[in-house]
Amino acid sequence: MIDLKPSVPRTPAQAVLRIVSIFMALLGALALLGGVLVLATDGSVGIASGDLWAIATFGGIIVVVAGLLLLTAVLGLAASNNSARVGPYRFLCYLVGLGVLVAIAWGWGLGTFILFNPIILTTTIVYVLVCSRLADKVKEEHDRGVRGETFLRSRHQRVLHLLSEVVIMKGVLTAVVAGVLIVALLAYGEGEQAVISGVSLTVSEAMLVVLAAAAVSAGVNLLVGCLGIWGSNRPQRIRPFLVLSSLALVADVVQVVVSVVEHGPLGPSFDLVFDLLFMAGCTYLAVRILRQPTPEELMAQAVGAAMVAPAGEGLGEVDA
């Protein structure tokens, strides 16, 4: 019999909040690792060696940012599991938004418009436009008594649900990076040198086309991830995801074969091979979910087994 476990009841807003919180937890962990490396390497990461004050300040700022991201992630995950706990998360989002507003006003007073600074712009998008709106939506749903659905998921459904969240997070990351770079580069004219976070880039139409293609790819990832979550919650709706994952798998296989023919066995890049294995796993899970009995059939089997078992035991006792 397939192992079925009920999911945590979440509204769509809570489901999105969970994905955003996991994404911020990953960013916070990476930032924390970076801050610890800065403090531990004693200036070998680009800061003047021996300037302990600069090293401690720079590393401390990174650790503080990492702590803020991790705190946001923890509070967000708590709110995604229980809407009654959205208060602290909502307060933190508004506090960070207020801090961003003060920073923009301070820069304006100094004669600098810092909204298009990648860090300020990313923080504004994430905390003000995403996190705060999600917090307000979860709070509104809680006040209205709205509760999410509970789904019975098999092992394959649970794994596919997790992989679909990974696909969505990849799409969100790609979309944020592409969007920030596009907005930053549009402030420059074609052919000009743009310096973004210390990296010098020559603004060209080809670069904007590549970023636009990345944004389209992010949209496709979001669509595939949403269909995966939809199918993992409702096995009878798994076919759209199965079709898209199969097409993506075929495309990856073709790219790998072409790369091997042109460059030999070591020709395919790591990300291409990883994407091939990832899509193969998603397609396999979708096929298994498509072939498994529906939750109603499984529940009927479980009820039937529960009713037959006592009768069998009773017969055994009479025979004895």
Side-chain angles (χ1 to χ4, degrees), residues 17 23 25 35 44 53 61 71 83-84 128 140 143 160 175 194 208 227-228 247 270 288-289 313:
L17 178 57
F23 176 69
S44 62
W53 174 251
I61 291 175
L71 177 61
S83 59
V128 178
E140 176 188 350
D143 293 341
L160 180 59
L208 293 176
L227 288 177
L247 292 176
F270 173 79
R288 292 298 301 267
I289 293 172
E313 293 174 2

Side-chain angles (χ1 to χ4, degrees), residues 71-138:
L71 177 61
T72 304
V74 170
L75 295 179
L77 287 173
S80 70
N81 291 331
N82 184 357
S83 59
R85 302 172 66 180
V86 73
Y89 177 79
R90 189 164 176 256
F91 172 78
L92 179 62
C93 291
Y94 276 102
L95 183 64
V96 174
L98 178 61
V100 171
L101 181 61
V102 170
I104 294 175
W106 177 73
W108 184 273
L110 296 178
T112 303
F113 188 60
I114 64 174
L115 177 60
F116 292 113
N117 178 284
I119 296 178
I120 298 297
L121 183 58
T122 303
T123 304
T124 302
I125 293 174
V126 172
Y127 277 93
V128 178
L129 300 182
V130 178
C131 295
S132 296
R133 292 177 66 87
L134 283 174
D136 290 340
K137 184 64 176 178
V138 173

Side-chain angles (χ1 to χ4, degrees), residues 2-309:
I2 298 178
D3 176 29
L4 291 179
K5 291 185 179 179
S7 65
V8 176
R10 296 188 181 95
T11 64
Q14 286 179 285
V16 174
L17 178 57
R18 168 181 162 80
I19 294 175
V20 171
S21 299
I22 294 175
F23 176 69
M24 297 189 75
L26 294 176
L27 288 182
L30 291 175
L32 181 61
L33 178 61
V36 171
L37 288 176
V38 168
L39 295 174
T41 52
D42 191 22
S44 62
V45 292
I47 304 176
S49 180
D51 192 349
L52 297 180
W53 174 251
I55 296 171
T57 302
F58 185 62
I61 291 175
I62 297 178
V63 171
V64 170
V65 171
L68 176 62
L69 290 171
L70 291 174
L71 177 61
T72 304
V74 170
L75 295 179
L77 287 173
S80 70
N81 291 331
N82 184 357
S83 59
R85 302 172 66 180
V86 73
Y89 177 79
R90 189 164 176 256
F91 172 78
L92 179 62
C93 291
Y94 276 102
L95 183 64
V96 174
L98 178 61
V100 171
L101 181 61
V102 170
I104 294 175
W106 177 73
W108 184 273
L110 296 178
T112 303
F113 188 60
I114 64 174
L115 177 60
F116 292 113
N117 178 284
I119 296 178
I120 298 297
L121 183 58
T122 303
T123 304
T124 302
I125 293 174
V126 172
Y127 277 93
V128 178
L129 300 182
V130 178
C131 295
S132 296
R133 292 177 66 87
L134 283 174
D136 290 340
K137 184 64 176 178
V138 173
K139 178 68 165 57
E140 176 188 350
E141 291 175 341
H142 176 73
D143 293 341
R144 290 164 46 201
V146 179
R147 288 181 56 83
E149 293 183 72
T150 299
F151 301 98
L152 291 176
R153 300 194 191 115
S154 65
R155 182 177 67 255
H156 298 105
Q157 289 172 256
R158 294 194 295 271
V159 175
L160 180 59
H161 194 276
L162 177 61
L163 295 182
S164 298
E165 289 180 333
V166 173
V167 174
I168 290 177
M169 284 188 284
K170 178 185 175 183
V172 170
L173 176 61
T174 305
V176 169
V177 173
V180 169
L181 288 177
I182 289 175
V183 171
L185 292 178
L186 287 177
Y188 298 86
E190 186 172 358
E192 294 184 0
Q193 289 291 121
V195 180
I196 301 178
S197 298
V199 179
S200 179
L201 300 172
T202 302
V203 181
S204 64
E205 184 178 349
M207 179 180 295
L208 293 176
V209 169
V210 171
L211 291 175
V216 173
S217 175
V220 173
N221 283 327
L222 290 174
L223 174 62
V224 172
C226 290
L227 288 177
I229 289 181
W230 191 37
S232 68
N233 289 335
R234 300 172 177 84
Q236 66 275 19
R237 299 288 187 267
I238 193 63
R239 284 185 175 84
F241 175 80
L242 177 59
V243 171
L244 286 182
S245 63
S246 299
L247 292 176
L249 178 60
V250 171
D252 288 338
V253 170
V254 171
Q255 292 182 67
V256 169
V257 171
V258 171
S259 181
V260 169
V261 171
E262 292 181 351
H263 307 288
L266 299 180
S269 60
F270 173 79
D271 59 332
L272 178 57
V273 175
F274 179 80
D275 191 61
L276 171 66
L277 297 176
F278 187 88
M279 294 314 302
C282 290
T283 304
Y284 167 78
L285 290 170
V287 171
R288 292 298 301 267
I289 293 172
L290 181 64
R291 293 179 176 177
Q292 76 182 25
T294 63
E296 291 77 12
E297 293 172 344
L298 292 172
M299 289 299 295
Q301 293 175 9
V303 172
M307 294 178 63
V308 170

